[in-house]
Amino acid sequence: VSRRCLGASFHPAMPRATDRISAGHHVDAYQEYTSLVGRLDGGRPVPEDVYQDIRRRASNPARRLYVNWRSWSGLDCRAVGPQSPCFCTHRYNEHDWSAFDTREVRCKMPGCTCRCFSYVPVRGSQDLICSGCRRSYTEHRPDDHGCPAASTSSGSSKSVFASSYTCSCTEPYNHHSTVFESRQEREAARREIDAGWMEQAGKEGLPVCHLGGILGFTSLADGMERAYAGLEAGFDGGGGGGDRLMQRFQLEDQVNTVALTQGKLAG
């Protein structure tokens, strides 16, 4: 692995899945590099000064955009993370996540016309088929989500992507949108903010801005699962508490918070 992606600095108190040995630090450095840069380097590590500038911009929590795929009812159904897919087929970390002022989170991949990140609820080899033209979302125009002109019955290029996909919240695809918020806006709306260990990581200068809507381990769960666990303000899931998965996520957040603030042995 290039020295450039191994040269990043790390705080010794950050929770680690590997032992604090040389190999473990190299793995952490590689993971941080790929999380920040994605495929933007074209397979060749970016120059050290460029990488450090990216890392510096990602280490200012005051300019972080919290990104979620939200239903019209106000539920954050999916938290967007570095690897979350956009309608343009590229990932969130391949977009301009530092566009805090304009919120025009454009795609930075060469040749892509995507003007702002727009989450699509697909994982792995999953696909979304347009209800109008019957073509994959990947065949639509990234800039305006327009259908391929030749695939519509009228041959018009004015038709846009629509899907019959239904989210776990029971609302259809077209009743969701990708939202970008500041920390202050989330607090004003009484929405959840970072878990303790994520909060501490930001205070200590670790990169967080590229994480989008990831607040901790509980953000990995579906919005309805969080609602059933009572973690979504204004939504009564009626479940009387979380299931084993949500309890495990909450425990992970609690352990990592203690480990980071009080030491590894305490966690």
Side-chain angles (χ1 to χ4, degrees), residues 192-207:
E192 188 180 7
I193 55 174
D194 297 316
W197 66 274
M198 286 278 288
E199 180 94 11
Q200 189 66 20
K203 290 179 180 179
E204 297 189 8
L206 288 166

Side-chain angles (χ1 to χ4, degrees), residues 100-267:
F100 182 81
D101 295 319
T102 65
R103 316 234 173 150
E104 294 178 358
V105 186
R106 296 175 177 269
C107 186
K108 298 170 68 176
M109 291 294 281
C112 188
T113 59
C114 173
R115 294 180 291 192
C116 191
F117 179 89
S118 180
Y119 178 78
V120 284
V122 295
R123 293 175 179 171
S125 61
Q126 291 178 333
D127 197 2
L128 285 184
I129 303 300
C130 180
S131 302
C133 67
R134 303 300 178 184
R135 304 281 284 272
S136 168
Y137 79 94
T138 63
E139 299 178 65
H140 289 66
R141 296 191 298 272
D143 56 347
D144 62 0
H145 299 190
C147 295
S151 64
T152 60
S153 57
S154 63
S156 171
S157 61
K158 295 182 179 179
S159 299
V160 296
F161 180 84
S163 174
S164 59
Y165 169 90
T166 300
C167 178
S168 61
C169 72
T170 72
E171 295 190 47
Y173 170 84
N174 290 352
H175 285 193
H176 291 75
S177 60
T178 303
V179 296
F180 303 85
E181 300 169 297
S182 67
R183 179 189 176 95
Q184 289 73 21
E185 288 168 335
R186 287 191 65 83
E187 289 178 329
R190 296 184 179 180
R191 292 187 179 275
E192 188 180 7
I193 55 174
D194 297 316
W197 66 274
M198 286 278 288
E199 180 94 11
Q200 189 66 20
K203 290 179 180 179
E204 297 189 8
L206 288 166
V208 292
C209 294
H210 65 301
L211 298 179
I214 302 298
L215 310 176
F217 286 95
T218 55
S219 296
L220 303 177
D222 178 87
M224 285 304 298
E225 292 175 331
R226 294 197 302 272
Y228 280 124
L231 300 178
E232 288 291 329
F235 291 89
D236 181 12
D243 58 14
R244 287 188 176 184
L245 176 63
M246 288 303 302
Q247 290 173 5
R248 175 60 186 272
F249 283 156
Q250 289 177 285
L251 179 60
E252 291 281 2
D253 280 331
Q254 293 168 3
V255 169
N256 283 322
T257 296
V258 174
L260 185 56
T261 59
Q262 301 179 30
K264 185 175 180 179
L265 292 179

Side-chain angles (χ1 to χ4, degrees), residues 58-128:
S59 302
N60 183 0
R63 295 183 62 81
R64 175 183 174 183
L65 287 174
Y66 292 81
V67 190
N68 289 274
W69 195 55
R70 184 172 297 166
S71 69
W72 284 7
S73 62
L75 178 66
D76 286 341
C77 294
R78 300 283 176 82
V80 169
Q83 303 297 324
S84 295
C86 175
F87 191 88
C88 72
T89 73
H90 299 127
R91 301 163 184 167
Y92 181 66
N93 63 355
E94 293 157 354
H95 289 67
D96 187 12
W97 41 259
S98 64
F100 182 81
D101 295 319
T102 65
R103 316 234 173 150
E104 294 178 358
V105 186
R106 296 175 177 269
C107 186
K108 298 170 68 176
M109 291 294 281
C112 188
T113 59
C114 173
R115 294 180 291 192
C116 191
F117 179 89
S118 180
Y119 178 78
V120 284
V122 295
R123 293 175 179 171
S125 61
Q126 291 178 333
D127 197 2
L128 285 184

